Amino acid sequence: MSSPEYERRIASRFAGFDQDGNGYIDREDFSAAARALLAEFGTTARSDKGQALFIGAEAFWQGMAGIADRDGDQRITRDEFVGGAVKRLHDNPDRFAAIARPFLHAALAIADADGDGAVSVPEVGRVLRVLGVSPTVAEVAAAALDGDGDGRIAEDEIVSAFAQYFTVPE
Ligand code: CA
Ligand code: CA
C-alpha cells in the first residue's frame, strides 16, 4: 500500500485532478479541465457540446466530492483523496465510471470531429494529455485502447480505461 511506486502513482493522479496545482481538488479544477478541453479542440463554451461538457464536469465534481470530501469544505485534500477517493473507487471502479461518464461522453463528442461516434487514437491522446495524463503515458494508453488496430476507439473502452487509470490498480 505504501510502496514508493504506489505513492508516485497516487501523486500523479492527484496532480491530474488538481489542474491549477494549488494543492487541493475543487470545483474550479473541473471547470479548468473543461475549459482546457474546449481550447484544445477549438469549441466554444456556449455551444451545445460546450454546455454538455460543463454539465458533465459539475457532475464529475459532485460525484468526487460525495465520495472524498469528508469534512464538507468543498475541497478534496491529498489526504481525503488517498483515504477516500482512491480506496473507495479502487474497491468499486464501476462507480467511478458512472461518475466520470457524462464528462467523458461530452469530452469525446468534442474530440470526435466527424461525429461518427468513435474517436481516433491521436484524438484520445490529446484528451488524456489535457486531463493531466503525462504525454508518454497518454500516447501508449491511447494506442493500447485500440485493440483491433483500426485506429478508432469507442466510448466504453475509454471510460473503463480512464476508470482503471484513476483508480490506481496496485
Ligand atoms: Ca486545485
Ligand atoms: Ca475536504
Side-chain angles (χ1 to χ4, degrees):
M1 174 91 186
S2 57
S3 74
E5 170 62 15
Y6 183 77
E7 289 293 320
R8 193 192 61 74
R9 283 200 238 166
I10 295 282
S12 81
R13 303 316 184 260
F14 185 81
F17 279 106
D18 181 16
Q19 289 264 320
D20 59 12
N22 64 354
Y24 54 83
I25 300 165
D26 69 1
R27 174 179 280 113
E28 176 53 28
D29 292 312
F30 287 82
S31 358
R35 286 195 302 273
L37 278 168
L38 292 175
E40 172 73 21
F41 291 98
T43 307
T44 68
R46 278 173 313 218
S47 65
D48 288 348
K49 287 180 176 181
Q51 292 294 308
L53 187 65
F54 280 106
I55 291 167
E58 173 65 16
F60 198 173
W61 157 246
Q62 292 288 345
M64 289 294 287
I67 287 169
D69 180 21
R70 282 187 271 179
D71 62 4
D73 69 350
Q74 301 295 304
R75 295 175 176 188
I76 300 170
T77 62
R78 196 170 183 282
D79 278 353
E80 286 175 329
F81 184 74
V82 173
V86 172
K87 175 156 192 348
R88 292 174 66 181
L89 294 171
H90 180 259
D91 293 344
N92 191 355
D94 288 348
R95 178 145 180 222
F96 183 83
I99 288 169
R101 186 181 290 274
F103 176 75
L104 291 175
H105 177 81
L108 295 173
I110 285 166
D112 175 18
D114 65 4
D116 70 350
V119 282
S120 69
V121 171
E123 285 165 345
V124 171
R126 284 168 73 189
V127 170
L128 293 176
R129 280 198 305 280
V130 171
L131 296 180
V133 179
S134 78
T136 323
V137 174
E139 221 166 276
V140 173
L145 282 170
D146 181 24
D148 62 4
D150 70 349
R152 316 292 291 164
I153 305 171
E155 178 177 319
D156 273 352
E157 296 170 311
I158 292 164
V159 171
S160 62
F162 192 78
Q164 270 176 24
Y165 177 79
F166 275 106
T167 53
V168 196
E170 279 185 79

